Amino acid sequence: MAKKSGLSAEDVDSLRSQLNEGTQPMVWFTAAAVGMEAGRSAKLLAFTEPEEGDFIQVRPTGSKDEMSFSPAELTLEKPPPRKKPATPPPAPPEPPRETEIIHPYVPEAPVKTAAPKPKPAPAPVEAVAAPKPAARKASGKGSTPEVTVTLVTTGEGEWTVEVLQGSRKAVRPTPVPPAAVAQAAKLLTPEVSEIVEGVLNAARAQQLARVEQLRAELEAAQKALDELGA
């Protein structure tokens, strides 16, 4: 059976579930990973939205950079440990050398020889550096992730705002005044302003009806109190 390469859709769903449970699982780079050695491990950090291109954020082992890769560049299969090279057998012992007979040195008469001509120095050769492969741009801590701002209303005039920074919840649902929501909506597109204004008008009408009802109940109670001679 051929060994699979890259992450399948099931693998991505499994990793996402582990990440949501607070676990940062390990993955390994395939031969398709640009700028990374195949078999090197990395820790899963987050998934960016939408799931297109390099949407899986990891931190390679031994590095502090956060980098993004595609499913084809990562795998869940841990590579087997590398085998140590076999130790070569010891060299056979050298055979014993024969004893050389050294004759006494007899100096010879000096012979005049012409001085050797100096060799011309070789021409300098310019070293040409081999082109380096394009390094993948790391999305370090200084990069800005996608930010999502959500406004929610209960329909009774109460509003809350929530902010997501990437997949992390940066601001939990926080109450905001309706007047601030109306002012912010006017700075956006006319469609957004129209929708927000419609919700605010409905809330005003509801509160006005409640005020009228309470005013009528108050008048009735005041009348009953007057009849009692208080």
Side-chain angles (χ1 to χ4, degrees), residues 62-179:
S63 174
K64 295 182 179 180
D65 293 333
E66 298 178 6
M67 309 178 72
S68 298
F69 292 88
S70 65
E73 297 175 289
L74 302 172
T75 180
L76 293 178
E77 297 180 2
K78 183 177 181 181
R82 298 181 179 179
K83 296 182 179 180
K84 296 182 178 180
T87 305
E94 297 181 0
R97 298 181 179 179
E98 297 180 359
T99 304
E100 298 179 356
I101 300 175
I102 302 176
H103 297 278
Y105 172 73
V106 179
E108 298 179 353
V111 179
K112 294 183 179 181
T113 58
K117 296 181 180 180
K119 296 181 179 180
V125 179
E126 296 183 358
V128 180
K132 297 182 180 180
R136 181 183 295 271
K137 184 178 180 182
S139 58
K141 296 182 179 179
S143 62
T144 304
E146 181 180 354
V147 177
T148 304
V149 180
T150 305
L151 284 171
V152 180
T153 179
T154 59
E156 298 180 357
E158 297 179 356
W159 291 79
T160 59
V161 64
E162 180 181 8
V163 179
L164 294 178
Q165 194 170 15
S167 58
R168 183 177 64 87
K169 185 175 290 186
V171 178
R172 297 185 178 277
T174 304
V176 291

